Amino acid sequence: MATAPTTVASETLTLPGPLQLDCGRQLDRVDVAYEAYGELSPARDNAVFVAHALTGDHYLASPHPITGKPGWWARMVGPGKPIDTNRFYVICANVLGSCMGSTGPASLAPDGKPYGMRFPVITIRDMVRAHVALLDALGIKRLHAVVGGSMGGMQALSLAANFPERASAALVLAATARHSAQNIAFHEVGRQAIMADSAWQDGDYYASGNRPEKGLAVARMAAHITYLSEAGLTGKFGRNLQDRAEKTFGFDADFQVESYLRYQGISFTDRFDANSYLYITRAMDYFDLAEEHGGYLANAFRTTKARFCLVSFDTDWLYPTAESRNIVHALNAAGAPVTFVELSAPYGHDSFLLEVPALDRVVTGFLDQ
Amino acid sequence: MATAPTTVASETLTLPGPLQLDCGRQLDRVDVAYEAYGELSPARDNAVFVAHALTGDHYLASPHPITGKPGWWARMVGPGKPIDTNRFYVICANVLGSCMGSTGPASLAPDGKPYGMRFPVITIRDMVRAHVALLDALGIKRLHAVVGGSMGGMQALSLAANFPERASAALVLAATARHSAQNIAFHEVGRQAIMADSAWQDGDYYASGNRPEKGLAVARMAAHITYLSEAGLTGKFGRNLQDRAEKTFGFDADFQVESYLRYQGISFTDRFDANSYLYITRAMDYFDLAEEHGGYLANAFRTTKARFCLVSFDTDWLYPTAESRNIVHALNAAGAPVTFVELSAPYGHDSFLLEVPALDRVVTGFLDQ
């Protein structure tokens, strides 16, 4: 099947100037690692920017260099797929603060040593600033669409709100306009798990050869539960035992769900930096699009040129449908064109990444306009 | 206000013989720490046994010796209160495996050293076996009622099912007849957090002077989120900042919910043993009352002499109402008398411990019969 898109660029751009940040500091040198698929039209008007989630990266539709697995949205992006690389020039960039090529806490500071916790605390808007700088470098004045799920949806909203001329459309999946107390609480558990790991060493672990893998694995496990639905976990695992007929009366992973979670935790540490996890979760917790715009979410969208599509999933308890509806109300109040659908899917928050044919139809239809 | 009950016993009973366990092993010496309030009637027929939850203890209605706080159910137990110590002889025992006086992993094994992870993996039914041995020692053949919330509710169900002559009534609050995949998953995160702490030392930390407090605090934080409702967290904390006007762009507890969770985690380590946390969560995960009775929950209740009252809370997402309803269906199928109510309260799973006047009326009415 000729469904894998051709990667036309897998590059790292060093921004031409310093990046000013919400915290008041600036980063003098910022690298942005990105991939692109498809062909940019002569008018440069067919670009679709896909923003990734917390633990994602720019390996959107090409194999991941560490895990060897297909790109995280290979099912959605490619020739003839909903984000059709025969029609669109599709770009995905590793976010600022991450660890797959863009500048983050594991990068070298001007003194030649890794930033560690000297890296500035960044925001979702700072990530978007880096994306816009990339678009500038690529000569793309306005996107056909910005697309993202979860934290990617936050970036899509932030781009449409803060750079109102830069996107003709925003497709926002399983997202929220601000982190709730419960969202913050789960992230704080993850951060404390990392910081409790004696290998963390106040974030200064890069030269030690000993990374806080145990803490990062626990953080990932806690977060992973929030990505799945209770019914989905029950359907997939229930109380089934793992490769045994009887409980062992011990602390091995007797239950399949334990074994699965442990695997999720451990495998994550192969590809992710613990300090990046701290910084990116912090950026998500700080995200409050209304607060950035005088306390009224509608104000965020007064000048946007984008039309919007919001999608939520009925089993998503991390960012439930009410969060999307809240955004839709604000868009209505701002007079922005918006369509909204709650899709039924059993996978919880992760539904946007998984096999949900109804989502494919929504994405295809919205980008087609 | 003369509402504090008189503690008539605060003792530790050493069981007269060994305790046979579900795992096949036995414990030769078992201590059971308990408190009792009120007066046992000459006919010994007015005893109410209250079973505590995961992190509870027998300081039911008297101040906790470590924290100095009132007993964990002081609002419910006392003269003239729903569990009226003027009428009932109220007993609460620290569960097997815990750390407040009953035998657990911190206790000394026959070789004179703490058990640590040599302690046998116990079950909810094993805890109940120890309670029944205590009732035997106190000369109580049949309880007026067994009462419990959360893991206490599991013990109440297990006692009514496995010792069908020993209770005339069972009051089961915010409980479940089996742990779901999501319940197991959250506990597994907690256990992995403890085991990831370098101070844990495979459970052999008692002599080191260095306990796995950081891991235990993370475990408590993760669990604590599941005890509260999303709406409750939003109502109590929202995105309010902690003692500051602006975000600090750092990793301090900027948000009140972070500060609250950190406090919950750290303060817990003053009064709880990390290995006990491992063993008791394991017992809860293993709990499946149907599995113990041939795979049919109704079978568990075929011979019980108890009448039942089940109470769930509409905001409890740890053991939601469907779990109680499942038990009610089984009781109906077994022909056992049962009443059931879902109460509305904003506090999530913890509602059974908090100010819910409707619960007081249910408890009063049910025990009055």
Side-chain angles (χ1 to χ4, degrees), chain B residues 147-184:
Chain B
V147 179
S150 196
M151 188 182 84
M154 295 178 181
Q155 294 165 66
L157 289 168
S158 180
L159 188 142
N162 293 306
F163 300 89
E165 310 278 349
R166 301 302 293 251
S168 299
L171 177 53
V172 179
L173 314 175
T176 179
R178 56 144 178 60
H179 245 204
S180 73
Q182 193 185 65
N183 297 152
I184 296 170

Side-chain angles (χ1 to χ4, degrees), chain A residues 261-283:
Chain A
L261 264 194
R262 288 188 192 183
Y263 174 78
Q264 292 296 329
I266 292 166
S267 62
F268 181 57
T269 65
D270 293 338
R271 67 175 180 86
F272 216 81
D273 175 55
N275 284 340
S276 280
Y277 198 84
L278 299 179
Y279 276 89
I280 300 177
T281 56
R282 199 58 168 159

Side-chain angles (χ1 to χ4, degrees), chain B residues 20 28 55 82 86 112 117 152 156 165 169 171 215 220 265 324 338 353:
Chain B
Q20 202 64 44
D28 289 332
T55 67
N86 289 335
M117 299 306 284
E165 310 278 349
L171 177 53
R220 175 65 168 175
S324 288
V338 55
L353 294 168

Side-chain angles (χ1 to χ4, degrees), chain B residues 67-241:
Chain B
T67 67
K69 289 184 180 168
W72 59 267
W73 229 10
R75 65 173 299 280
M76 189 64 84
V77 178
K81 294 186 181 177
I83 302 178
D84 188 347
T85 51
N86 289 335
R87 288 186 57 194
F88 301 120
Y89 180 69
V90 182
I91 313 158
C92 186
N94 192 216
V95 298
L96 186 70
S98 191
C99 51
M100 289 299 292
S102 293
T103 299
S107 304
L108 299 184
D111 66 0
K113 295 176 186 161
Y115 278 104
M117 299 306 284
R118 300 178 301 160
F119 196 74
V121 167
I122 52 165
T123 65
I124 298 293
R125 183 160 56 183
D126 292 332
M127 295 175 186
V128 171
R129 288 185 175 115
H131 298 332
V132 169
L134 169 64
L135 296 179
D136 287 343
L138 295 173
I140 296 166
K141 289 205 167 58
R142 185 178 293 194
L143 292 165
H144 176 69
V146 57
V147 179
S150 196
M151 188 182 84
M154 295 178 181
Q155 294 165 66
L157 289 168
S158 180
L159 188 142
N162 293 306
F163 300 89
E165 310 278 349
R166 301 302 293 251
S168 299
L171 177 53
V172 179
L173 314 175
T176 179
R178 56 144 178 60
H179 245 204
S180 73
Q182 193 185 65
N183 297 152
I184 296 170
F186 275 114
H187 275 175
E188 176 65 3
V189 167
R191 287 190 293 263
Q192 291 297 318
I194 290 167
M195 292 176 169
D197 190 325
S198 56
W200 181 60
Q201 296 287 331
D202 293 321
D204 192 13
Y205 52 78
Y206 297 105
S208 74
N210 188 18
R211 302 187 309 145
E213 293 178 355
K214 288 181 175 178
L216 180 60
V218 170
R220 175 65 168 175
M221 289 171 68
H224 200 79
I225 301 173
T226 71
Y227 302 153
L228 309 174
S229 70
E230 197 274 337
L233 276 172
T234 296
K236 193 168 182 180
F237 303 112
R239 294 179 51 82
N240 296 336
L241 299 178

Side-chain angles (χ1 to χ4, degrees), chain A residues 3-4 24 58 67 72 88 124 134 140 150 185 228 232 252 298 312 321 358:
Chain A
T3 54
H58 51 300
T67 67
W72 60 267
F88 301 120
I124 298 293
L134 169 64
I140 297 165
S150 195
L228 308 175
D252 282 348
S312 69
T321 290

Side-chain angles (χ1 to χ4, degrees), chain A residues 88-134:
Chain A
F88 301 120
Y89 179 68
V90 182
I91 313 158
C92 185
N94 192 215
V95 297
L96 185 70
S98 190
C99 51
M100 289 300 291
S102 292
T103 299
S107 303
L108 299 184
D111 66 0
K113 295 176 185 160
Y115 278 104
M117 300 306 284
R118 300 179 301 160
F119 196 73
V121 167
I122 52 164
T123 64
I124 298 293
R125 184 159 55 182
D126 292 331
M127 295 175 187
V128 170
R129 289 186 174 111
H131 299 331
V132 169
L134 169 64

